[in-house]
Amino acid sequence: MAYSHAMPSPTSTERAQRQAEVVQALSACVPQHALLWQPEDTTPYECDGLTAYRQRPLVVCLPETEGEVQAVLKTCHRLGVPVVARGAGTGLSGGAMPHAMGVTLSLAKFNRILDLDPVARTARVQCGVRNLAISEAAAPYNLYYAPDPSSQIACTIGGNVAENSGGVHCLKYGLTVHNVLRVRGYTMEGEPITFGAEALDAPGYDLLAAVIGSEGMLAVALEVTVKLVPKPQLARCIMASFDDVRKAGDAVAAVIAAGIIPAGLEMMDKPMTAAVEDFVKAGYDLTAEAILLCESDGTPEEVEEEIARMSEVLRGSGATAISVSTSEEERMRFWSGRKNAFPASGRISPDYMCMDSTIPRKRLADILLAIQEMEKKYQLRCCNVFHAGDGNLHPLILFDANDPDQLHRCELFGADILETSVAMGGTVTGEHGVGVEKLNSMCAQFTVEENAQMFALKEAFDPQGLLNPGKVIPTLNRCAEYGKMLVRNGKMSHANLPRF
Amino acid sequence: MAYSHAMPSPTSTERAQRQAEVVQALSACVPQHALLWQPEDTTPYECDGLTAYRQRPLVVCLPETEGEVQAVLKTCHRLGVPVVARGAGTGLSGGAMPHAMGVTLSLAKFNRILDLDPVARTARVQCGVRNLAISEAAAPYNLYYAPDPSSQIACTIGGNVAENSGGVHCLKYGLTVHNVLRVRGYTMEGEPITFGAEALDAPGYDLLAAVIGSEGMLAVALEVTVKLVPKPQLARCIMASFDDVRKAGDAVAAVIAAGIIPAGLEMMDKPMTAAVEDFVKAGYDLTAEAILLCESDGTPEEVEEEIARMSEVLRGSGATAISVSTSEEERMRFWSGRKNAFPASGRISPDYMCMDSTIPRKRLADILLAIQEMEKKYQLRCCNVFHAGDGNLHPLILFDANDPDQLHRCELFGADILETSVAMGGTVTGEHGVGVEKLNSMCAQFTVEENAQMFALKEAFDPQGLLNPGKVIPTLNRCAEYGKMLVRNGKMSHANLPRF
């Protein structure tokens, strides 16, 4: 299990003593009902959306006010207790997986929309507000919050900030980092800290982008100011079929190369369409080797012109069938399949592991063919759903977690996808974060010096390494154990990496 | 002088010995003609656009290749020699002011446009390329680079990145930080480092925004990839007169409050219009207490509608006269006065000091009236030109640098403006950076903890503090000497600040 590399397990006596000490200290910070430590109470927190890895936390704390959060952080800092912040627990890389000797800080109670300014087109919300709730609150003003992770009915803006979440419309409208103006929270020492501003710029180093996607390792975010954008007047979606995955991959590159930025450009392979069609009846072409969903939004004139241009490019790339949504109802039906790809995979397999690497768009077909070879090698099935326009892959590896050998093969399969992506010029994560899932693969992507640089930045905020330790950045030891020490420019230095 | 606080002066013998040592070591890195150390050769580098402060560097080095830059940095790192990178030397806060015992690294030879992609709308350029040269190269494709500092014919993109430069059109199009995709360079250790990417996002912590505006303290940038934007079809400019600075200031706030983001929204007071009119004959209303320039750009329909709406708001705010440019020639004439405000001040005074604070827009009139009081207090004249839409002030204090008492009063006047801006809810810098000029005023803006946090970030990149030392972030000692130790929330901790 990925997690065990980082920390020696304490004995059960050590754990019980520490638990009593932490519970007593935190009782001075929050009401008794806000503290959970019995196994039956902490078990629901043992994992996030990456269910393959589980760990009960020492204590779960559910503060309700900023003062309580601050007191909890100060206390944990004083006692040297690790803190893992948690939103809705929908993350897919184990970013909110608990620490065996740490406090899981659930921010579920911070669920209020504090301010919505339709003229400035901003909303100031607490970290526990759900992604979709922001768009629902903005709807009366014909505005919405653009990033739309598939989990948007449940996931919170705090988690979106931690993971720099994306979604099907991020190709055109940007990721979380492009749609957030300000993040306010507390450091591990319990000191207030603000990143960004509601103005164009803020004084001091501009660390807003660094904290977005930092996976809870720099600070605990309590309040987020997001940008709202006007709802497009019209959106239409093309569904295109291809009899060959290479043609479908090349069609994606051709659309972008033609200078078109679709509102969404998604790809699904045959096993994926079969799984979702059986579940939601989206009307997908089940004979196609791959289908593309290609959306245009804007004014009716813009949409008409863009749909015509995209259709032409898709036909020129060898699409065997093209249909264009003629109503909002039909468009939502096209998307229903894509949005339900994960639960559809859950229906046909006891478990699935969703990977999240990126590659240059022109390598889409290459990676699909490589994954087909890996299916044979690891003897596991894989359904593929890609944010193809972004080059962001979500292969869903199907396995049975109750079979240790299958879990092991699934881990190897996943690592193979990630490292093949890096070899093709891509990265190990697109929008789900590194968490615990991709720690080993980070060794294949970053050099010892690069990882040391990332630790140096973390140390500038959290010198004791108490915020979400053991995640995101692999230690030198870990990379050595994994057998990957990335050497670039023929050089391998023995930087003195910390051992969080 | 601001500079002397930071460093004890070496004896002339110590300096000569060190100079010989550094010249000899750098001779192994660059050709002989690329090294300057005689006073007649280094004197031209003794200041940047902040001419009130001067210091000859130990050595000037003008590398021509990346390999040379890397070798120079490695050598300076080994010898513990401070390095100050320099572009065109047009900066106004002393960011490129030399270190008495350091190497000034002139990047003037890095002046090639490496790539311009009109479809992706990006340009990849070397750091020494002039700001305007990018727009000139993009002009055949009807594209341009949006940020337009007044020094754009001379200043380089490397300097723009260091200072996060703005310009009159940044209100609508954003600052440097909003228009740069990627920065590639070297750390003080001579290690290659890349911030950002040509894609929407990059792996690792997102530090692009942190390095933009970091004033050469984190890394040396050699290559910058910028965004290009389509030239608007049409631009028209309103010139509005006001008989009262308060009405003019309130008009600025009213335009923004009406939900309009003009392409530019500038304000000049009566002393300023008098100075520029005498110089460039822009046709300004010399009877007005203040004038506003208010630009709209876009399609002809958009411009027509926006000009009408802005005119209505300006009239409602008490404008005594409004004229709208009817030709591109007339529009350029309106702007000629604004763009020549600095040289116009140079004509009417031996020296001028350009300040650069920001305030909330609604306080524009308050700060103007406060500055009028300061003119009496410090017995110096001040012309005011503001990026009013951004709340960014550029008071130009007129003085004679050959009169030490005038220089001293000018420094006090400047500090008073900066600290009054902070007291009004603003900041000490808008777009010129902190450099050496605003170090003391940083003590009034940031707490001890906040400055310690900024030092911690710098240390993550440059633990020895060799890159542009003694600038931007004030030490605890310095704030104590200046008599300002900002205490917030009733707390004053004695953080162990480094003494760079």
Side-chain angles (χ1 to χ4, degrees), chain A residues 361-389:
Chain A
R361 276 180 291 264
K362 62 186 173 198
R363 305 299 301 270
L364 278 168
D366 294 335
I367 192 89
L368 263 176
L369 296 173
I371 290 173
Q372 285 176 8
E373 288 304 307
M374 293 178 205
E375 289 188 84
K376 293 175 203 154
K377 181 172 172 189
Y378 301 106
Q379 287 291 303
L380 289 172
R381 287 178 302 156
C382 183
C383 300
N384 289 292
V385 51
F386 294 174
H387 297 312

PDB file of all heavy atoms in Angstrom, chain A residues 361-389:
ATOM      1  N   ARG A 361      -1.708  16.214 -27.105  1.00  0.00           N
ATOM      2  CA  ARG A 361      -2.889  15.728 -27.845  1.00  0.00           C
ATOM      3  C   ARG A 361      -2.542  14.795 -28.987  1.00  0.00           C
ATOM      4  O   ARG A 361      -3.242  13.824 -29.244  1.00  0.00           O
ATOM      5  CB  ARG A 361      -3.674  16.917 -28.420  1.00  0.00           C
ATOM      6  CG  ARG A 361      -4.639  17.545 -27.466  1.00  0.00           C
ATOM      7  CD  ARG A 361      -5.355  18.705 -28.138  1.00  0.00           C
ATOM      8  NE  ARG A 361      -4.432  19.789 -28.358  1.00  0.00           N
ATOM      9  CZ  ARG A 361      -4.289  20.824 -27.529  1.00  0.00           C
ATOM     10  NH1 ARG A 361      -5.017  20.918 -26.446  1.00  0.00           N
ATOM     11  NH2 ARG A 361      -3.427  21.775 -27.798  1.00  0.00           N
ATOM     12  N   LYS A 362      -1.440  15.083 -29.687  1.00  0.00           N
ATOM     13  CA  LYS A 362      -1.106  14.275 -30.869  1.00  0.00           C
ATOM     14  C   LYS A 362      -0.747  12.842 -30.504  1.00  0.00           C
ATOM     15  O   LYS A 362      -0.658  11.992 -31.376  1.00  0.00           O
ATOM     16  CB  LYS A 362       0.028  14.932 -31.661  1.00  0.00           C
ATOM     17  CG  LYS A 362       1.317  15.056 -30.891  1.00  0.00           C
ATOM     18  CD  LYS A 362       2.374  15.837 -31.657  1.00  0.00           C
ATOM     19  CE  LYS A 362       3.577  16.063 -30.738  1.00  0.00           C
ATOM     20  NZ  LYS A 362       4.464  17.105 -31.179  1.00  0.00           N
ATOM     21  N   ARG A 363      -0.539  12.537 -29.207  1.00  0.00           N
ATOM     22  CA  ARG A 363      -0.202  11.177 -28.793  1.00  0.00           C
ATOM     23  C   ARG A 363      -1.420  10.403 -28.287  1.00  0.00           C
ATOM     24  O   ARG A 363      -1.264   9.308 -27.717  1.00  0.00           O
ATOM     25  CB  ARG A 363       0.877  11.207 -27.693  1.00  0.00           C
ATOM     26  CG  ARG A 363       2.135  11.981 -28.059  1.00  0.00           C
ATOM     27  CD  ARG A 363       2.859  11.407 -29.271  1.00  0.00           C
ATOM     28  NE  ARG A 363       3.286  10.023 -29.126  1.00  0.00           N
ATOM     29  CZ  ARG A 363       4.474   9.652 -28.639  1.00  0.00           C
ATOM     30  NH1 ARG A 363       5.335  10.565 -28.239  1.00  0.00           N
ATOM     31  NH2 ARG A 363       4.807   8.368 -28.570  1.00  0.00           N
ATOM     32  N   LEU A 364      -2.642  10.933 -28.461  1.00  0.00           N
ATOM     33  CA  LEU A 364      -3.841  10.276 -27.918  1.00  0.00           C
ATOM     34  C   LEU A 364      -3.991   8.840 -28.399  1.00  0.00           C
ATOM     35  O   LEU A 364      -4.245   7.921 -27.611  1.00  0.00           O
ATOM     36  CB  LEU A 364      -5.109  11.079 -28.302  1.00  0.00           C
ATOM     37  CG  LEU A 364      -5.438  12.286 -27.424  1.00  0.00           C
ATOM     38  CD1 LEU A 364      -6.511  13.142 -28.080  1.00  0.00           C
ATOM     39  CD2 LEU A 364      -5.903  11.837 -26.043  1.00  0.00           C
ATOM     40  N   ALA A 365      -3.825   8.651 -29.707  1.00  0.00           N
ATOM     41  CA  ALA A 365      -3.993   7.298 -30.246  1.00  0.00           C
ATOM     42  C   ALA A 365      -2.898   6.391 -29.713  1.00  0.00           C
ATOM     43  O   ALA A 365      -3.156   5.222 -29.339  1.00  0.00           O
ATOM     44  CB  ALA A 365      -3.962   7.348 -31.771  1.00  0.00           C
ATOM     45  N   ASP A 366      -1.665   6.911 -29.629  1.00  0.00           N
ATOM     46  CA  ASP A 366      -0.548   6.094 -29.139  1.00  0.00           C
ATOM     47  C   ASP A 366      -0.812   5.572 -27.729  1.00  0.00           C
ATOM     48  O   ASP A 366      -0.559   4.409 -27.425  1.00  0.00           O
ATOM     49  CB  ASP A 366       0.753   6.921 -29.128  1.00  0.00           C
ATOM     50  CG  ASP A 366       1.196   7.307 -30.532  1.00  0.00           C
ATOM     51  OD1 ASP A 366       0.828   6.578 -31.491  1.00  0.00           O
ATOM     52  OD2 ASP A 366       1.887   8.325 -30.678  1.00  0.00           O
ATOM     53  N   ILE A 367      -1.323   6.439 -26.855  1.00  0.00           N
ATOM     54  CA  ILE A 367      -1.526   5.989 -25.479  1.00  0.00           C
ATOM     55  C   ILE A 367      -2.677   4.987 -25.413  1.00  0.00           C
ATOM     56  O   ILE A 367      -2.628   4.015 -24.660  1.00  0.00           O
ATOM     57  CB  ILE A 367      -1.734   7.170 -24.504  1.00  0.00           C
ATOM     58  CG1 ILE A 367      -1.644   6.719 -23.036  1.00  0.00           C
ATOM     59  CG2 ILE A 367      -3.081   7.847 -24.694  1.00  0.00           C
ATOM     60  CD1 ILE A 367      -0.292   6.741 -22.448  1.00  0.00           C
ATOM     61  N   LEU A 368      -3.713   5.193 -26.237  1.00  0.00           N
ATOM     62  CA  LEU A 368      -4.829   4.235 -26.237  1.00  0.00           C
ATOM     63  C   LEU A 368      -4.343   2.849 -26.660  1.00  0.00           C
ATOM     64  O   LEU A 368      -4.713   1.840 -26.052  1.00  0.00           O
ATOM     65  CB  LEU A 368      -5.925   4.706 -27.189  1.00  0.00           C
ATOM     66  CG  LEU A 368      -7.074   5.458 -26.545  1.00  0.00           C
ATOM     67  CD1 LEU A 368      -8.044   5.966 -27.598  1.00  0.00           C
ATOM     68  CD2 LEU A 368      -7.831   4.563 -25.554  1.00  0.00           C
ATOM     69  N   LEU A 369      -3.507   2.799 -27.693  1.00  0.00           N
ATOM     70  CA  LEU A 369      -2.984   1.514 -28.153  1.00  0.00           C
ATOM     71  C   LEU A 369      -2.058   0.905 -27.099  1.00  0.00           C
ATOM     72  O   LEU A 369      -2.090  -0.302 -26.848  1.00  0.00           O
ATOM     73  CB  LEU A 369      -2.268   1.697 -29.498  1.00  0.00           C
ATOM     74  CG  LEU A 369      -3.225   2.165 -30.628  1.00  0.00           C
ATOM     75  CD1 LEU A 369      -2.457   2.503 -31.901  1.00  0.00           C
ATOM     76  CD2 LEU A 369      -4.291   1.097 -30.919  1.00  0.00           C
ATOM     77  N   ALA A 370      -1.278   1.763 -26.422  1.00  0.00           N
ATOM     78  CA  ALA A 370      -0.396   1.270 -25.355  1.00  0.00           C
ATOM     79  C   ALA A 370      -1.221   0.696 -24.205  1.00  0.00           C
ATOM     80  O   ALA A 370      -0.874  -0.337 -23.618  1.00  0.00           O
ATOM     81  CB  ALA A 370       0.508   2.396 -24.855  1.00  0.00           C
ATOM     82  N   ILE A 371      -2.343   1.362 -23.874  1.00  0.00           N
ATOM     83  CA  ILE A 371      -3.205   0.863 -22.788  1.00  0.00           C
ATOM     84  C   ILE A 371      -3.815  -0.487 -23.170  1.00  0.00           C
ATOM     85  O   ILE A 371      -3.947  -1.387 -22.335  1.00  0.00           O
ATOM     86  CB  ILE A 371      -4.290   1.913 -22.422  1.00  0.00           C
ATOM     87  CG1 ILE A 371      -3.641   3.118 -21.734  1.00  0.00           C
ATOM     88  CG2 ILE A 371      -5.365   1.301 -21.528  1.00  0.00           C
ATOM     89  CD1 ILE A 371      -4.584   4.296 -21.482  1.00  0.00           C
ATOM     90  N   GLN A 372      -4.163  -0.642 -24.463  1.00  0.00           N
ATOM     91  CA  GLN A 372      -4.698  -1.943 -24.909  1.00  0.00           C
ATOM     92  C   GLN A 372      -3.673  -3.057 -24.678  1.00  0.00           C
ATOM     93  O   GLN A 372      -4.017  -4.164 -24.257  1.00  0.00           O
ATOM     94  CB  GLN A 372      -5.098  -1.871 -26.385  1.00  0.00           C
ATOM     95  CG  GLN A 372      -6.408  -1.107 -26.600  1.00  0.00           C
ATOM     96  CD  GLN A 372      -6.781  -0.932 -28.072  1.00  0.00           C
ATOM     97  OE1 GLN A 372      -6.141  -1.498 -28.951  1.00  0.00           O
ATOM     98  NE2 GLN A 372      -7.808  -0.132 -28.338  1.00  0.00           N
ATOM     99  N   GLU A 373      -2.394  -2.750 -24.939  1.00  0.00           N
ATOM    100  CA  GLU A 373      -1.336  -3.743 -24.684  1.00  0.00           C
ATOM    101  C   GLU A 373      -1.226  -4.041 -23.191  1.00  0.00           C
ATOM    102  O   GLU A 373      -1.044  -5.187 -22.771  1.00  0.00           O
ATOM    103  CB  GLU A 373       0.022  -3.230 -25.202  1.00  0.00           C
ATOM    104  CG  GLU A 373       0.140  -3.205 -26.716  1.00  0.00           C
ATOM    105  CD  GLU A 373      -0.129  -4.583 -27.327  1.00  0.00           C
ATOM    106  OE1 GLU A 373       0.512  -5.578 -26.894  1.00  0.00           O
ATOM    107  OE2 GLU A 373      -1.014  -4.667 -28.201  1.00  0.00           O
ATOM    108  N   MET A 374      -1.353  -2.971 -22.370  1.00  0.00           N
ATOM    109  CA  MET A 374      -1.251  -3.154 -20.908  1.00  0.00           C
ATOM    110  C   MET A 374      -2.387  -4.021 -20.383  1.00  0.00           C
ATOM    111  O   MET A 374      -2.217  -4.766 -19.410  1.00  0.00           O
ATOM    112  CB  MET A 374      -1.269  -1.799 -20.191  1.00  0.00           C
ATOM    113  CG  MET A 374      -0.045  -0.938 -20.464  1.00  0.00           C
ATOM    114  SD  MET A 374      -0.219   0.678 -19.614  1.00  0.00           S
ATOM    115  CE  MET A 374       0.845   1.708 -20.625  1.00  0.00           C
ATOM    116  N   GLU A 375      -3.577  -3.934 -20.999  1.00  0.00           N
ATOM    117  CA  GLU A 375      -4.698  -4.772 -20.557  1.00  0.00           C
ATOM    118  C   GLU A 375      -4.307  -6.249 -20.625  1.00  0.00           C
ATOM    119  O   GLU A 375      -4.642  -7.034 -19.739  1.00  0.00           O
ATOM    120  CB  GLU A 375      -5.946  -4.525 -21.428  1.00  0.00           C
ATOM    121  CG  GLU A 375      -6.605  -3.178 -21.195  1.00  0.00           C
ATOM    122  CD  GLU A 375      -7.940  -3.060 -21.941  1.00  0.00           C
ATOM    123  OE1 GLU A 375      -8.971  -3.523 -21.412  1.00  0.00           O
ATOM    124  OE2 GLU A 375      -7.920  -2.518 -23.058  1.00  0.00           O
ATOM    125  N   LYS A 376      -3.584  -6.579 -21.702  1.00  0.00           N
ATOM    126  CA  LYS A 376      -3.138  -7.976 -21.834  1.00  0.00           C
ATOM    127  C   LYS A 376      -2.072  -8.278 -20.783  1.00  0.00           C
ATOM    128  O   LYS A 376      -2.119  -9.299 -20.102  1.00  0.00           O
ATOM    129  CB  LYS A 376      -2.561  -8.207 -23.239  1.00  0.00           C
ATOM    130  CG  LYS A 376      -3.604  -8.101 -24.346  1.00  0.00           C
ATOM    131  CD  LYS A 376      -2.951  -8.218 -25.724  1.00  0.00           C
ATOM    132  CE  LYS A 376      -3.833  -7.569 -26.793  1.00  0.00           C
ATOM    133  NZ  LYS A 376      -3.043  -7.121 -27.952  1.00  0.00           N
ATOM    134  N   LYS A 377      -1.121  -7.350 -20.634  1.00  0.00           N
ATOM    135  CA  LYS A 377       0.010  -7.582 -19.732  1.00  0.00           C
ATOM    136  C   LYS A 377      -0.460  -7.782 -18.293  1.00  0.00           C
ATOM    137  O   LYS A 377      -0.003  -8.691 -17.601  1.00  0.00           O
ATOM    138  CB  LYS A 377       0.965  -6.391 -19.815  1.00  0.00           C
ATOM    139  CG  LYS A 377       2.199  -6.504 -18.942  1.00  0.00           C
ATOM    140  CD  LYS A 377       3.181  -5.369 -19.236  1.00  0.00           C
ATOM    141  CE  LYS A 377       4.336  -5.372 -18.235  1.00  0.00           C
ATOM    142  NZ  LYS A 377       5.154  -4.160 -18.379  1.00  0.00           N
ATOM    143  N   TYR A 378      -1.386  -6.928 -17.832  1.00  0.00           N
ATOM    144  CA  TYR A 378      -1.806  -6.990 -16.429  1.00  0.00           C
ATOM    145  C   TYR A 378      -3.087  -7.781 -16.243  1.00  0.00           C
ATOM    146  O   TYR A 378      -3.596  -7.898 -15.129  1.00  0.00           O
ATOM    147  CB  TYR A 378      -1.946  -5.572 -15.854  1.00  0.00           C
ATOM    148  CG  TYR A 378      -0.652  -4.803 -15.927  1.00  0.00           C
ATOM    149  CD1 TYR A 378      -0.474  -3.781 -16.850  1.00  0.00           C
ATOM    150  CD2 TYR A 378       0.412  -5.125 -15.086  1.00  0.00           C
ATOM    151  CE1 TYR A 378       0.724  -3.083 -16.929  1.00  0.00           C
ATOM    152  CE2 TYR A 378       1.618  -4.440 -15.164  1.00  0.00           C
ATOM    153  CZ  TYR A 378       1.765  -3.424 -16.091  1.00  0.00           C
ATOM    154  OH  TYR A 378       2.948  -2.752 -16.183  1.00  0.00           O
ATOM    155  N   GLN A 379      -3.650  -8.295 -17.368  1.00  0.00           N
ATOM    156  CA  GLN A 379      -4.860  -9.120 -17.299  1.00  0.00           C
ATOM    157  C   GLN A 379      -5.994  -8.418 -16.556  1.00  0.00           C
ATOM    158  O   GLN A 379      -6.654  -8.998 -15.695  1.00  0.00           O
ATOM    159  CB  GLN A 379      -4.528 -10.471 -16.626  1.00  0.00           C
ATOM    160  CG  GLN A 379      -3.721 -11.404 -17.530  1.00  0.00           C
ATOM    161  CD  GLN A 379      -4.570 -11.901 -18.708  1.00  0.00           C
ATOM    162  OE1 GLN A 379      -5.625 -12.486 -18.517  1.00  0.00           O
ATOM    163  NE2 GLN A 379      -4.124 -11.616 -19.933  1.00  0.00           N
ATOM    164  N   LEU A 380      -6.183  -7.150 -16.880  1.00  0.00           N
ATOM    165  CA  LEU A 380      -7.297  -6.385 -16.307  1.00  0.00           C
ATOM    166  C   LEU A 380      -7.921  -5.558 -17.428  1.00  0.00           C
ATOM    167  O   LEU A 380      -7.233  -5.143 -18.354  1.00  0.00           O
ATOM    168  CB  LEU A 380      -6.793  -5.440 -15.208  1.00  0.00           C
ATOM    169  CG  LEU A 380      -6.331  -6.073 -13.899  1.00  0.00           C
ATOM    170  CD1 LEU A 380      -5.681  -5.014 -13.005  1.00  0.00           C
ATOM    171  CD2 LEU A 380      -7.492  -6.748 -13.152  1.00  0.00           C
ATOM    172  N   ARG A 381      -9.240  -5.336 -17.338  1.00  0.00           N
ATOM    173  CA  ARG A 381      -9.904  -4.512 -18.353  1.00  0.00           C
ATOM    174  C   ARG A 381      -9.755  -3.030 -18.019  1.00  0.00           C
ATOM    175  O   ARG A 381      -9.613  -2.661 -16.850  1.00  0.00           O
ATOM    176  CB  ARG A 381     -11.398  -4.850 -18.414  1.00  0.00           C
ATOM    177  CG  ARG A 381     -11.704  -6.200 -19.052  1.00  0.00           C
ATOM    178  CD  ARG A 381     -13.199  -6.462 -19.021  1.00  0.00           C
ATOM    179  NE  ARG A 381     -13.730  -6.431 -17.648  1.00  0.00           N
ATOM    180  CZ  ARG A 381     -15.002  -6.177 -17.337  1.00  0.00           C
ATOM    181  NH1 ARG A 381     -15.888  -5.922 -18.292  1.00  0.00           N
ATOM    182  NH2 ARG A 381     -15.412  -6.200 -16.086  1.00  0.00           N
ATOM    183  N   CYS A 382      -9.852  -2.207 -19.034  1.00  0.00           N
ATOM    184  CA  CYS A 382      -9.752  -0.746 -18.835  1.00  0.00           C
ATOM    185  C   CYS A 382     -10.718  -0.054 -19.794  1.00  0.00           C
ATOM    186  O   CYS A 382     -10.725  -0.324 -20.998  1.00  0.00           O
ATOM    187  CB  CYS A 382      -8.310  -0.303 -19.099  1.00  0.00           C
ATOM    188  SG  CYS A 382      -8.039   1.448 -18.792  1.00  0.00           S
ATOM    189  N   CYS A 383     -11.564   0.820 -19.255  1.00  0.00           N
ATOM    190  CA  CYS A 383     -12.432   1.665 -20.085  1.00  0.00           C
ATOM    191  C   CYS A 383     -11.783   3.050 -20.146  1.00  0.00           C
ATOM    192  O   CYS A 383     -11.252   3.530 -19.144  1.00  0.00           O
ATOM    193  CB  CYS A 383     -13.808   1.854 -19.441  1.00  0.00           C
ATOM    194  SG  CYS A 383     -14.705   0.327 -19.164  1.00  0.00           S
ATOM    195  N   ASN A 384     -11.874   3.703 -21.300  1.00  0.00           N
ATOM    196  CA  ASN A 384     -11.179   4.980 -21.437  1.00  0.00           C
ATOM    197  C   ASN A 384     -12.122   6.132 -21.733  1.00  0.00           C
ATOM    198  O   ASN A 384     -12.882   6.099 -22.696  1.00  0.00           O
ATOM    199  CB  ASN A 384     -10.134   4.876 -22.545  1.00  0.00           C
ATOM    200  CG  ASN A 384      -8.969   4.010 -22.116  1.00  0.00           C
ATOM    201  OD1 ASN A 384      -8.217   4.395 -21.235  1.00  0.00           O
ATOM    202  ND2 ASN A 384      -8.860   2.824 -22.699  1.00  0.00           N
ATOM    203  N   VAL A 385     -12.033   7.145 -20.896  1.00  0.00           N
ATOM    204  CA  VAL A 385     -12.780   8.370 -21.117  1.00  0.00           C
ATOM    205  C   VAL A 385     -11.776   9.508 -20.928  1.00  0.00           C
ATOM    206  O   VAL A 385     -11.090   9.584 -19.918  1.00  0.00           O
ATOM    207  CB  VAL A 385     -14.001   8.440 -20.170  1.00  0.00           C
ATOM    208  CG1 VAL A 385     -13.611   8.197 -18.733  1.00  0.00           C
ATOM    209  CG2 VAL A 385     -14.715   9.761 -20.299  1.00  0.00           C
ATOM    210  N   PHE A 386     -11.656  10.333 -21.963  1.00  0.00           N
ATOM    211  CA  PHE A 386     -10.593  11.348 -21.973  1.00  0.00           C
ATOM    212  C   PHE A 386     -11.193  12.736 -22.119  1.00  0.00           C
ATOM    213  O   PHE A 386     -12.079  12.954 -22.934  1.00  0.00           O
ATOM    214  CB  PHE A 386      -9.663  11.150 -23.185  1.00  0.00           C
ATOM    215  CG  PHE A 386      -8.858   9.881 -23.190  1.00  0.00           C
ATOM    216  CD1 PHE A 386      -8.076   9.565 -24.307  1.00  0.00           C
ATOM    217  CD2 PHE A 386      -8.838   9.011 -22.115  1.00  0.00           C
ATOM    218  CE1 PHE A 386      -7.326   8.406 -24.340  1.00  0.00           C
ATOM    219  CE2 PHE A 386      -8.070   7.845 -22.138  1.00  0.00           C
ATOM    220  CZ  PHE A 386      -7.317   7.541 -23.265  1.00  0.00           C
ATOM    221  N   HIS A 387     -10.644  13.718 -21.335  1.00  0.00           N
ATOM    222  CA  HIS A 387     -10.823  15.122 -21.704  1.00  0.00           C
ATOM    223  C   HIS A 387      -9.838  15.346 -22.854  1.00  0.00           C
ATOM    224  O   HIS A 387      -8.744  15.887 -22.671  1.00  0.00           O
ATOM    225  CB  HIS A 387     -10.483  16.062 -20.547  1.00  0.00           C
ATOM    226  CG  HIS A 387     -11.357  15.905 -19.340  1.00  0.00           C
ATOM    227  ND1 HIS A 387     -12.731  15.855 -19.419  1.00  0.00           N
ATOM    228  CD2 HIS A 387     -11.061  15.807 -18.020  1.00  0.00           C
ATOM    229  CE1 HIS A 387     -13.235  15.734 -18.198  1.00  0.00           C
ATOM    230  NE2 HIS A 387     -12.244  15.699 -17.338  1.00  0.00           N
ATOM    231  N   ALA A 388     -10.226  14.888 -24.040  1.00  0.00           N
ATOM    232  CA  ALA A 388      -9.268  14.759 -25.129  1.00  0.00           C
ATOM    233  C   ALA A 388      -8.695  16.107 -25.566  1.00  0.00           C
ATOM    234  O   ALA A 388      -7.515  16.216 -25.906  1.00  0.00           O
ATOM    235  CB  ALA A 388      -9.935  14.060 -26.314  1.00  0.00           C
ATOM    236  N   GLY A 389      -9.525  17.139 -25.550  1.00  0.00           N
ATOM    237  CA  GLY A 389      -9.055  18.457 -25.968  1.00  0.00           C
ATOM    238  C   GLY A 389      -7.920  18.976 -25.106  1.00  0.00           C
ATOM    239  O   GLY A 389      -7.062  19.728 -25.566  1.00  0.00           O
TER     240      GLY A 389
END
